[in-house]
């Protein structure tokens, strides 16, 4: 997104770290490709000719023949859900090959999880053997896999599985299998050895990894959620001491990146860890945050907490005798829902205006919910800020976010509300002051939503007058309609160095659409805007109404490098997510001084 000089409607910081591909690139000169229909361009019914689908184990695999690709107009995708065991993959029809012969394999891929490449060999009797070529790091842009292998002496045919074995997606295209290789570089192997998967981490802990390569290891760099932890370790045993209090409580992904002495790299399989540091009681502003003290005048409620609901619905409030890590929690069950919402909330707390605060809690819910910061102003008005959209969760899950206190605030509370039929249970609350971990320099983006003609007519001259760049989020179906920009307007904006970005095709709530509808909203908008504006790389998205969930975010990663909603907050180094960018909202009541701050 283009950066403005000083004035900002939405404050967005964008930076993406792409994990290196775990295989070495080969020289371009190569013998004939042995794979039939290697770019999956030739269809046979609803799937590519000469290609097969396979999966096993306990999981839900969805196979798709896509109308986009690395080259040409097609690629193949596997989406994995409900994973417990096994794997799923597209693979080409087995090819007749020669035993004891060296072959080179490559393909292009996009994925949001680490994947595996495995060769399947068959002998004349149909006996199968396998060679695991290694893991491939997740990448939301096309990356190439390259590797070589030697067939066992009795091999008569083979195929290659680029497979997925966890919840996520994998898209592949442009596969190649040739005899021989022009590269002898050896890929390192690396794995995280501590902490173990799903370990609970508190305070300072040692991260360790094992790594090896025939030509030696130059260094190992630990990464948390794709960002480096300290400096790389250049000597075995590979380890680093890490202070887990520098990140938010909750689930994080740990990997290790190994670099061989020849410069080749490999990324380990990711390890999920749970950071669970206690919040100092002296800093938590919420009274009775663990809900363990009952109200002396009402045993059905915790001390310092109240209930609230509005609209047409039937809420049932419960003060439960079980909790996240103690004996109590609070719950709302909603039925008969037509409109409105229901929530528990703590008594309003005095806070300091123009100050950053951090809120966290643990929750379980059967439906997606919303978290609102509610500010009681000195003039008697109330300001509501959306600060989170937690997904449904069957197990206790941490929600954590940061936000700013508006000028003129006297006190505030938080609503974690339910606005549909279902159940929401919450516990372990914390509200503290917060100092963000800053980037090297501040980044500001001035954005305009929807593509109104008035933005072009009145906004563009002001942008030009002061030399501002902006991001224009356009609803592609409304281009050329009365009150909205035309295709010619988009070309003018792009030539004037204003970024053209997507606000989907129809501005529908993506969380209520089917998977195919979401794909159309994202991909068709991008395609049309690129054609109309002259910008051949539309990379950013604004979620309509600010609504999204994990499924929408995953689909967005296939087409865009960044996306924002409408949740208030600052994007800092310790909370950055390119597909969940926070904003600073400016209203008609916002003062010039507040904008300057």
């Amino acid at each position: 997104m283009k950066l403005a000089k000083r004035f900002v409607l939405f404050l967005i910081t964008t930076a993406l770290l792409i994990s290196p591909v775990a295989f070495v690139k080969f020289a371009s000169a190569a013998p004939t490709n042995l794979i039939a229909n290697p770019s999956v361009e030739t269809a046979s019914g609803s799937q590519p000719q000469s290609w097969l689908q396979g999966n096993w184990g306990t999981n839900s695999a969805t196979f798709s023949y896509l109308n986009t690709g690395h080259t040409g107009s097609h690629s193949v995708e596997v989406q994995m859900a409900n994973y417990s065991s096994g794997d799923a993959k597209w693979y080409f029809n087995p090819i007749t090959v020669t035993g004891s012969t060296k072959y080179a394999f490559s393909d292009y891929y996009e994925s949001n999880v680490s994947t595996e490449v495995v060769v399947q060999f068959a002998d004349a009797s149909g006996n199968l053997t396998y060679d695991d070529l290694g893991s491939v790091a997740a990448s939301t842009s096309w990356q190439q896999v390259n590797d070589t292998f030697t067939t066992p002496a009795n091999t008569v045919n083979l195929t290659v599985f680029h497979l997925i074995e966890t919840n996520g997606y994998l898209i592949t295209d442009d596969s190649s299998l040739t005899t021989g290789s022009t590269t002898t570089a050896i890929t390192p192997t690396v794995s995280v050895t501590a902490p173990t998967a799903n370990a609970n981490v508190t305070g300072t802990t040692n991260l360790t990894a094992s790594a090896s390569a025939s030509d030696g290891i130059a260094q190992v760099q630990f990464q948390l959620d794709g960002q480096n932890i300290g400096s790389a370790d250049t000597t075995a045993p590979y380890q680093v001491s890490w202070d887990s209090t520098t990140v938010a409580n909750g689930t994080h992904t740990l990997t290790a990146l190994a670099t061989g002495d020849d410069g080749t790299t490999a990324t380990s399989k990711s390890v999920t860890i749970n950071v669970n540091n206690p919040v100092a009681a002296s800093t938590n502003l919420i009274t009775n945050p663990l809900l363990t003290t009952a109200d002396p005048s009402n045993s059905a409620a915790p001390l310092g907490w109240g209930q609230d609901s509005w609209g047409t619905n039937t809420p049932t409030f419960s003060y439960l005798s079980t909790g996240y890590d103690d004996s109590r929690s609070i719950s709302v069950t909603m039925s008969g829902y037509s409109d409105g919402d229901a929530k528990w909330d703590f008594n309003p707390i005095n806070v300091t205006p123009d100050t950053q605060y951090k809120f966290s809690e643990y929750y379980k819910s059967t439906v997606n919910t919303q978290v609102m910061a509610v500010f009681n102003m000195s003039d008697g008005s109330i300001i509501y800020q959306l600060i989170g959209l937690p997904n449904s969760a069957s197990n206790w899950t941490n929600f954590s976010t940061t936000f700013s206190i508006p000028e003129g605030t006297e006190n505030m509370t938080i609503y974690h509300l339910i606005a549909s039929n279902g159940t929401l249970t919450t516990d372990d609350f914390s509200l503290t002051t917060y100092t963000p971990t800053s980037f090297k320099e501040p980044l500001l983006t001035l954005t305009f939503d929807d593509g109104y003609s008035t933005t072009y007519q009145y906004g563009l001259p002001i942008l030009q007058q002061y030399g501002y760049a902006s991001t224009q989020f356009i609803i592609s179906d409304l281009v050329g309609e009365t009150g909205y920009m035309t295709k010619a307007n988009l070309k003018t904006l792009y030539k004037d160095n204003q970024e053209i970005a997507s606000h989907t095709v129809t501005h529908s709530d993506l969380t209520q659409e089917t998977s195919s509808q979401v794909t159309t909203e994202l991909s068709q908008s991008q395609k049309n805007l690129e054609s109309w504006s002259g910008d051949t790389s539309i990379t950013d998205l604004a979620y309509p109404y600010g609504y999204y969930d994990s499924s929408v975010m995953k689909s967005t990663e296939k087409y865009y490098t960044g996306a924002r909603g409408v949740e208030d907050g600052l994007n800092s180094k310790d909370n950055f997510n390119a597909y969940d960018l926070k904003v600073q909202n400016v209203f008609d009541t916002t003062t010039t001084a507040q904008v300057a701050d």
Side-chain angles (χ1 to χ4, degrees):
M1 301 181 184
K2 310 265 186 338
L3 303 180
K5 292 181 178 177
R6 291 177 61 87
F7 183 74
V8 57
L9 281 182
F10 297 116
L11 178 60
I12 297 176
T13 305
T14 58
L16 286 177
L17 297 176
I18 303 297
S19 298
V21 181
F23 294 93
V24 193
K25 288 193 175 181
F26 296 95
S28 58
T32 302
N33 189 352
L34 303 177
I35 300 173
N37 195 20
S39 298
V40 297
E41 292 301 299
T42 303
S44 176
S46 60
Q47 68 180 54
Q49 189 177 80
S50 303
W51 284 77
L52 304 170
Q53 307 166 0
N55 75 300
W56 66 277
T58 304
N59 57 71
S60 301
T62 303
F63 296 86
S64 301
Y65 187 26
L66 304 180
N67 292 324
T68 60
H70 172 251
T71 61
S73 58
H74 288 291
S75 58
V76 289
E77 179 185 33
V78 184
Q79 291 195 27
M80 179 75 79
N82 304 316
Y83 181 83
S84 178
S85 63
D87 63 55
K89 60 273 182 180
W90 284 92
Y91 61 98
F92 54 84
N93 287 343
I95 295 170
T96 300
V97 293
T98 304
S100 302
T101 302
K102 192 173 188 178
Y103 287 84
F105 171 77
S106 72
D107 72 6
Y108 283 84
Y109 77 95
E110 292 182 340
S111 66
N112 64 343
V113 293
S114 177
T115 53
E116 293 285 322
V117 179
V118 178
V119 187
Q120 175 184 278
F121 306 105
D123 63 19
S125 299
N127 298 313
L128 301 177
T129 57
Y130 299 89
D131 183 6
D132 188 345
L133 300 184
S135 62
V136 184
S139 175
T140 55
S141 61
W142 287 106
Q143 297 288 335
Q144 188 178 28
V145 168
N146 287 282
D147 209 351
T148 59
F149 57 89
T150 300
T151 54
N154 59 352
T155 302
V156 296
N157 65 59
L158 68 81
T159 187
V160 179
F161 301 150
H162 190 163
L163 59 88
I164 184 169
E165 52 184 356
T166 187
N167 290 331
Y169 71 86
L170 167 66
I171 304 172
T172 55
D173 193 9
D174 288 347
S175 301
S176 173
L177 183 71
T178 61
T179 55
S181 170
T182 59
T183 296
T184 59
I186 302 172
T187 301
T189 59
V190 59
S191 62
V192 175
T193 54
T196 57
N198 299 313
N200 289 317
V201 176
T202 60
T204 299
T205 187
N206 283 330
L207 312 180
T208 64
S210 63
S212 63
S214 298
D215 57 345
I217 294 292
Q219 65 176 37
V220 172
Q221 174 68 63
F222 290 92
Q223 296 180 329
L224 188 77
D225 301 330
Q227 298 196 37
N228 290 346
I229 300 175
S231 302
D233 193 349
T234 58
T235 57
Y238 303 105
Q239 59 185 6
V240 64
S241 180
W242 172 58
D243 182 3
S244 67
T245 64
T246 59
V247 302
N249 280 346
T251 301
H252 296 272
T253 300
L254 179 66
T255 55
L257 171 65
T259 303
D261 286 338
D262 65 352
T264 58
T265 61
T267 300
S268 70
K269 285 187 176 180
S270 61
V271 173
T272 299
I273 60 174
N274 303 306
V275 175
N276 187 17
N277 286 302
V279 177
S282 60
T283 62
N284 191 350
L285 301 177
I286 299 175
T287 301
N288 196 18
L290 303 182
L291 311 169
T292 51
T293 304
D295 188 336
S297 62
N298 179 13
S299 61
L303 181 67
W305 289 77
Q307 310 165 359
D308 188 24
S309 65
W310 68 277
T312 305
N313 55 72
T314 305
T316 301
F317 295 89
S318 302
Y319 185 28
L320 304 179
S321 297
T322 59
Y324 166 63
D325 60 2
D326 49 60
S327 60
R328 306 307 297 255
S329 60
I330 48 180
S331 177
V332 185
T333 296
M334 179 77 80
S335 61
Y337 182 84
S338 179
D339 57 36
D341 64 57
K343 58 272 182 181
W344 286 90
D345 57 291
F346 54 83
N347 291 345
I349 293 170
N350 293 331
V351 289
T352 305
D354 292 329
T355 302
Q356 289 285 304
Y357 283 78
K358 180 178 180 178
F359 173 75
S360 69
E361 64 170 39
Y362 280 84
Y363 77 96
K364 296 190 294 185
S365 63
T366 60
V367 292
N368 292 351
T369 54
Q370 299 180 29
V371 180
M372 305 286 294
V374 183
F375 304 105
N376 297 308
M377 311 303 289
S378 57
D379 63 2
S381 63
I382 300 176
I383 292 179
Y384 299 89
Q385 281 187 3
L386 177 66
I387 60 174
L389 293 165
N391 293 322
S392 61
S394 57
N395 297 315
W396 285 110
T397 301
N398 179 253
F399 169 78
S400 179
T401 192
T402 61
F403 57 91
S404 302
I405 306 298
E407 184 70 33
T409 298
E410 286 195 343
N411 54 55
M412 68 159 295
T413 187
I414 300 286
Y415 292 163
H416 189 165
L417 59 87
I418 185 170
S420 61
N421 291 329
T423 298
L424 167 66
T425 306
T426 51
D427 192 11
D428 263 21
F429 298 86
S430 173
L431 182 67
T432 61
T433 56
Y434 163 72
T435 302
T437 302
S438 61
F439 292 94
K440 292 182 179 179
E441 59 181 349
L443 301 175
L444 311 178
T445 301
L446 184 68
T447 78
F448 298 83
D449 284 7
D450 300 336
Y452 293 114
S453 58
T454 51
T455 301
Y456 180 85
Q457 182 179 359
Y458 303 112
L460 180 59
I462 297 174
L463 294 170
Q464 292 171 327
Q465 179 182 353
Y466 293 101
Y468 295 150
S470 68
T471 298
Q472 304 283 336
F473 289 104
I474 307 297
I475 304 170
S476 63
D477 241 14
L478 296 181
V479 172
E481 297 294 322
T482 302
Y484 292 88
M485 296 184 197
T486 65
K487 296 177 184 178
N489 294 155
L490 298 184
K491 287 183 179 293
T492 300
L493 286 169
Y494 176 61
K495 290 178 180 178
D496 194 62
N497 204 36
Q498 311 297 321
E499 182 190 14
I500 306 300
S502 172
H503 208 20
T504 71
V505 176
T506 65
H507 199 270
S508 64
D509 180 355
L510 297 179
T511 64
Q512 302 301 310
E513 303 284 12
T514 65
S515 176
S516 61
Q517 288 172 329
V518 170
T519 296
T520 298
E521 290 284 345
L522 299 175
S523 62
Q524 192 61 46
S525 171
Q526 183 183 61
K527 180 179 179 181
N528 287 343
L529 293 175
E530 287 176 347
S531 172
W532 299 339
S533 69
D535 183 352
T536 59
S537 182
I538 302 295
T539 60
D540 295 304
L541 172 79
Y543 301 114
Y545 310 106
Y547 294 159
Y548 63 94
D549 54 25
S550 57
S551 176
V552 169
M553 190 179 295
K554 183 181 74 172
S555 297
T556 301
E557 292 173 2
K558 300 179 186 179
Y559 301 98
Y560 301 95
T561 60
R564 52 140 268 245
V566 295
E567 299 139 277
D568 191 274
L570 290 176
N571 300 286
S572 57
K573 199 170 184 178
D574 54 325
N575 74 351
F576 179 74
N577 183 343
Y579 294 94
D580 184 18
L581 295 170
K582 311 302 181 186
V583 303
Q584 289 292 303
N585 291 292
V586 177
F587 305 98
D588 55 7
T589 57
T590 305
T591 66
T592 303
Q594 288 173 301
V595 173
D597 287 343

